[in-house]
Amino acid sequence: MWGHLHAARLPDGYPQFFARAEGGHVWDADGRRYVDLMCAWGPVVLGHRDPMVEAAAARQAALGDTLNGPAPVMVDLAERLVDRIAHADWAIFAKNGTDATTGCVTIARAATGRRAILVAEGSYHGALPWCTPVPAGVTPEDRAHQHRFRYNDLASVEAAADAAGQDLAGIIVTAFRHDNVVDQESPDPAFARGLRALCDRRGAALILDDVRAGFRLHPAGSWEGLGVRPDLSAFSKALGNGHAIAAITGREALRDAAARVFLTGSFWCAAVPMAAALATLDALATRAVVPRLAALGQVLREGLAERARAFGIGLRQSGPPSMPLLLFDGDADFRLGRAFCAAAAQAGAYLHPRHNMFLCAAHDEADIATVLDAAEAGFRALRAMPGAG
Amino acid sequence: MWGHLHAARLPDGYPQFFARAEGGHVWDADGRRYVDLMCAWGPVVLGHRDPMVEAAAARQAALGDTLNGPAPVMVDLAERLVDRIAHADWAIFAKNGTDATTGCVTIARAATGRRAILVAEGSYHGALPWCTPVPAGVTPEDRAHQHRFRYNDLASVEAAADAAGQDLAGIIVTAFRHDNVVDQESPDPAFARGLRALCDRRGAALILDDVRAGFRLHPAGSWEGLGVRPDLSAFSKALGNGHAIAAITGREALRDAAARVFLTGSFWCAAVPMAAALATLDALATRAVVPRLAALGQVLREGLAERARAFGIGLRQSGPPSMPLLLFDGDADFRLGRAFCAAAAQAGAYLHPRHNMFLCAAHDEADIATVLDAAEAGFRALRAMPGAG
């Protein structure tokens, strides 16, 4: 079992295996149904088994999936991404978010002929030795040429860039601060603009890690609302509404470097996830998913805040409302969070005690009401805990 | 476009995009049909769109694919692999072959608390900076703690192990020598046994990279026929008959280290590829695929040899007959190989001028006859080339 899904790390009574899912709901292996606020840790943005996406996937599957090269749908998908993503002049496809972030770093190094990459302390960019949050099996050399800065602290970026000196190849940064187990933070617009200016000044590549947030906050790339366009973006999760796909998009100036880097994988030209991604991008636009998620998230946030206040519980909500993180005051060991989530699960809502969650477009007002009722059961459980104030 | 599929690297007139595939055949975007001897560069082992595999995938897809955790099918698949693969006491799943090889190296380092890995010169273990065959964007540190040996040269392994000294964490080795553009070599049994003995003596992990060969040469792991069992194996390609999945299997002694390493990806618990893999493993057994591929490959090999002789052409065939590599004498620039493949493609067979090819169980004797006729057209084209003897 992958570490973060190990039974020992789940709240008491939490399901470890899942039997099925539909729209905004998931059923565990014992047949219990939940309003799903994890959405497969991000990939599901329209809803599980979205009929339009699954129909597109089935049409392609009837023709073929993993072939000797790409199917024509790859051209359509690349063109759609280039149309949609503000900075993108080209796109290349992979499987994992980590494939995309690693590819961006490698392309930045190939393009500049330099080695140093600036990485924010605590940011998650994937699960390979260069970026994994867990040190087991990692050597110091796996992290060579990395300089740390603090998210939203431009002075720390300037200091890291100075430390990198003439060797600065690029800066990789998440769309917002969604580090594990700390309150989430939106990017300060001045911080984002400062990164752009620094990269321009130093001839380095600005890499936006949009794996987690991509297509949930802005249809043209998560920093488009800030008016800041990266040189390279890494996408994955929501791109295929649950089908395994990742993408790197880049500016024209990086095209040659991207072509020189050896990027490949046995299933990277699989056509079914590309057909699913094309349908997902279409649905994101026609269904106006980004504002829909934001509105649902706002109802959830306000409802949770009201109920937490009524119970006198110190609940901290952070991040974009459509990607909420819930943390409790004085809960360093997540004892409160786990008890809250366990009670909410009993009441039919699948929440997470330490990771940000994800709404999807299949959630409706009734689902949010179910989640709020389940949260109320969770707050009640906290009140009933030994030692509760 | 991924580098090796770039139009500039394809033989003249070769298709770059594919419309569909069925059984042992693939159709290009212009509707031309080929007997497919690449089988998607390895994943397709039963045949494209195998009805049993696709039915299992569709049944799981109707329930759900990428969920908040694994579906019960993961347990069935892990148990099937542990039953099937001789050395395996556990299994963990990923997407890319490179995920699996990189995971094995990281687990070996975590288990031993050492850093050095022995890697054969020219062996392909994937497309990340630590192992990519192309240096663009790679730093020297990405290759730190690697010591090189020569495949099938045990003395060179001993020398590399001595260079690693007390720091030897593991040895990674492909199931046979299938380096790009050189004749393939079977593993010398004494070489394989020597690696095993060396790892035992030094407390290092023997890692078998079975990504390309796995499930094509032996159902219990490619070195089982040699009586040599690795500590860790990396599988991918054929495991899901075209569905995106990879697996690491390991011995009990490595289980704790595997649990400590942070191995994860957004789509790694996707249930559809696991259902496909379970059906593929069943079909591999019930259809006796390994001997079937070997027999078909032998017919192909003998037919090609006979025709090459008749044309007086120096054709070298190497590797297991079910994974043939065709190289021409005096063809360092692959001019002959490309002309041969271009003519064969015109005649309805999709071959590769420099990479090993893959048979699948859906190929029949008529397909092999078509390939042999196409090869004859290829040999004729070589005879007609300016400067041909």
Side-chain angles (χ1 to χ4, degrees):
Chain A
M1 183 62 70
W2 306 275
H4 60 301
L5 296 178
H6 195 286
R9 295 197 197 142
L10 296 173
D12 289 342
Y14 239 57
Q16 194 180 25
F17 287 89
F18 295 87
R20 68 187 181 98
E22 192 82 43
H25 301 97
V26 65
W27 283 257
D28 69 19
D30 298 321
R32 292 187 301 175
R33 174 183 185 261
Y34 308 86
V35 176
D36 181 11
L37 282 202
M38 282 309 283
C39 289
W41 301 70
V44 172
V45 64
L46 302 173
H48 290 279
R49 304 192 62 254
D50 180 77
M52 205 173 103
V53 173
E54 294 312 303
R59 276 194 303 276
Q60 181 61 52
L63 297 172
D65 185 13
T66 304
L67 304 169
N68 293 348
V73 67
M74 187 181 85
V75 179
D76 299 333
L77 176 60
E79 289 179 349
R80 196 68 49 95
L81 273 179
V82 167
D83 284 349
R84 192 70 63 83
I85 302 302
H87 76 93
D89 295 314
W90 51 265
I92 190 165
F93 300 99
K95 289 285 114 180
N96 302 310
T98 312
D99 296 338
T101 56
T102 306
C104 286
V105 167
T106 313
I107 291 167
R109 286 176 169 157
T112 58
R114 310 175 194 162
R115 297 165 301 177
I117 301 289
L118 311 192
V119 185
E121 287 168 15
S123 278
Y124 180 73
H125 296 297
L128 284 173
W130 76 268
C131 55
T132 171
V134 175
V138 175
T139 71
E141 288 79 4
D142 290 325
R143 311 294 185 112
H145 310 299
Q146 294 183 19
H147 300 266
R148 302 282 156 180
F149 63 89
R150 287 181 300 283
Y151 202 98
N152 273 341
D153 177 348
L154 199 54
S156 74
V157 181
E158 297 281 358
D162 287 345
Q166 296 301 313
D167 201 30
L168 183 64
I171 304 175
I172 185 166
V173 62
T174 55
F176 64 98
R177 190 180 177 210
H178 49 59
D179 309 355
N180 203 14
V181 310
V182 295
D183 295 324
Q184 302 190 128
E185 279 180 43
S186 295
D188 177 345
F191 169 74
R193 286 193 299 268
L195 295 184
R196 180 68 273 169
L198 192 155
C199 284
D200 290 341
R201 206 163 63 236
R202 303 283 295 263
L206 179 57
I207 302 166
L208 188 63
D209 177 352
D210 222 355
V211 169
R212 197 181 298 183
F215 310 107
R216 290 183 176 275
L217 303 184
H218 196 293
S222 294
W223 278 16
E224 189 61 15
L226 303 175
V228 175
R229 294 185 179 167
D231 299 298
L232 294 163
S233 284
F235 293 104
S236 181
K237 291 202 180 275
L239 176 54
N241 197 49
H243 291 263
I245 190 164
I248 299 171
T249 57
R251 284 185 198 268
E252 190 58 41
L254 281 299
R255 186 193 295 268
D256 284 350
R260 282 189 290 118
V261 171
F262 190 69
L263 299 167
T264 191
S266 294
F267 310 104
W268 289 16
C269 61
V272 169
M274 293 186 189
L278 192 63
T280 301
L281 289 174
D282 286 347
L284 285 166
T286 57
R287 300 181 202 170
V289 166
V290 168
R292 165 90 183 145
L293 297 181
L296 280 173
Q298 197 56 37
V299 174
L300 175 65
R301 179 154 299 182
E302 290 168 10
L304 286 171
E306 186 187 314
R307 281 160 184 78
R309 261 195 314 275
F311 280 90
I313 284 172
L315 172 70
R316 301 197 311 276
Q317 303 189 67
S318 62
S322 62
M323 299 175 66
L325 175 68
L326 307 183
L327 295 174
F328 291 91
D329 290 341
D331 190 32
D333 60 359
F334 301 98
R335 202 174 57 97
L336 299 179
R338 292 164 66 103
F340 171 80
C341 286
Q346 285 292 326
Y350 189 97
L351 308 174
H352 201 282
R354 42 194 287 168
H355 193 282
N356 77 273
M357 299 181 284
F358 300 88
L359 296 179
C360 74
H363 288 133
D364 60 18
E365 287 66 15
D367 292 328
I368 301 298
T370 300
V371 173
L372 291 173
D373 287 347
E376 202 162 308
F379 293 134
R380 204 172 295 120
L382 297 191
R383 281 290 88 186
M385 279 171 77
Chain B
M1 183 63 69
W2 306 275
H4 60 302
L5 297 178
H6 194 286
R9 297 200 195 139
L10 297 174
D12 288 342
Y14 240 57
Q16 194 179 25
F17 288 88
F18 295 87
R20 66 186 181 100
E22 192 83 42
H25 300 97
V26 65
W27 283 257
D28 70 19
D30 298 321
R32 292 187 301 174
R33 174 183 185 261
Y34 307 87
V35 176
D36 181 11
L37 282 202
M38 281 311 281
C39 289
W41 302 69
V44 173
V45 63
L46 302 173
H48 290 279
R49 303 192 63 254
D50 180 77
M52 204 172 104
V53 172
E54 293 313 302
R59 276 194 301 276
Q60 181 61 53
L63 296 172
D65 185 11
T66 304
L67 304 168
N68 293 347
V73 68
M74 187 182 86
V75 179
D76 300 332
L77 177 60
E79 289 179 347
R80 197 67 48 95
L81 273 179
V82 167
D83 285 348
R84 192 71 61 85
I85 302 302
H87 76 92
D89 295 315
W90 52 266
I92 190 164
F93 300 99
K95 289 286 115 181
N96 301 312
T98 312
D99 296 337
T101 56
T102 307
C104 286
V105 166
T106 313
I107 291 167
R109 285 175 169 156
T112 58
R114 309 176 195 162
R115 298 166 300 180
I117 301 289
L118 311 193
V119 184
E121 286 167 16
S123 278
Y124 180 75
H125 296 298
L128 285 172
W130 76 268
C131 55
T132 171
V134 175
V138 175
T139 71
E141 288 79 4
D142 290 326
R143 311 294 186 111
H145 310 299
Q146 294 183 19
H147 300 267
R148 301 282 156 181
F149 63 89
R150 288 181 298 283
Y151 202 99
N152 273 341
D153 177 349
L154 199 55
S156 73
V157 182
E158 297 281 359
D162 287 347
Q166 296 302 311
D167 202 30
L168 182 64
I171 303 175
I172 185 166
V173 62
T174 54
F176 65 97
R177 189 179 178 213
H178 49 59
D179 309 355
N180 203 14
V181 310
V182 296
D183 296 322
Q184 303 190 126
E185 280 180 41
S186 294
D188 177 346
F191 170 74
R193 285 193 299 267
L195 294 184
R196 180 69 273 170
L198 192 157
C199 284
D200 290 342
R201 207 163 64 235
R202 303 282 297 264
L206 179 58
I207 303 166
L208 188 64
D209 178 350
D210 223 353
V211 168
R212 196 179 297 182
F215 310 107
R216 289 182 178 275
L217 303 184
H218 196 293
S222 294
W223 278 16
E224 190 60 17
L226 303 174
V228 173
R229 294 185 178 169
D231 299 300
L232 295 163
S233 284
F235 293 104
S236 180
K237 292 205 181 270
L239 176 55
N241 197 51
H243 291 263
I245 189 165
I248 299 171
T249 58
R251 284 186 197 266
E252 191 57 41
L254 281 299
R255 186 193 294 268
D256 283 351
R260 282 188 291 118
V261 171
F262 190 69
L263 300 167
T264 192
S266 294
F267 309 105
W268 288 17
C269 60
V272 169
M274 292 186 189
L278 193 62
T280 302
L281 289 174
D282 286 349
L284 284 166
T286 57
R287 300 182 202 169
V289 166
V290 168
R292 165 89 183 144
L293 297 181
L296 281 172
Q298 196 57 37
V299 174
L300 175 65
R301 179 154 299 182
E302 289 168 10
L304 287 171
E306 186 187 315
R307 282 159 184 76
R309 260 196 312 275
F311 280 90
I313 284 173
L315 172 70
R316 302 197 309 278
Q317 305 189 67
S318 61
S322 62
M323 298 174 68
L325 175 68
L326 306 184
L327 295 175
F328 291 92
D329 290 340
D331 190 32
D333 61 358
F334 301 100
R335 202 174 56 98
L336 298 179
R338 291 164 67 104
F340 171 79
C341 286
Q346 285 292 327
Y350 189 96
L351 307 175
H352 201 282
R354 45 192 285 169
H355 194 283
N356 77 275
M357 299 182 283
F358 301 88
L359 296 178
C360 73
H363 287 134
D364 60 18
E365 287 65 15
D367 291 327
I368 301 298
T370 299
V371 174
L372 290 174
D373 287 348
E376 203 163 307
F379 293 135
R380 204 171 297 120
L382 297 191
R383 282 289 89 186
M385 278 171 79

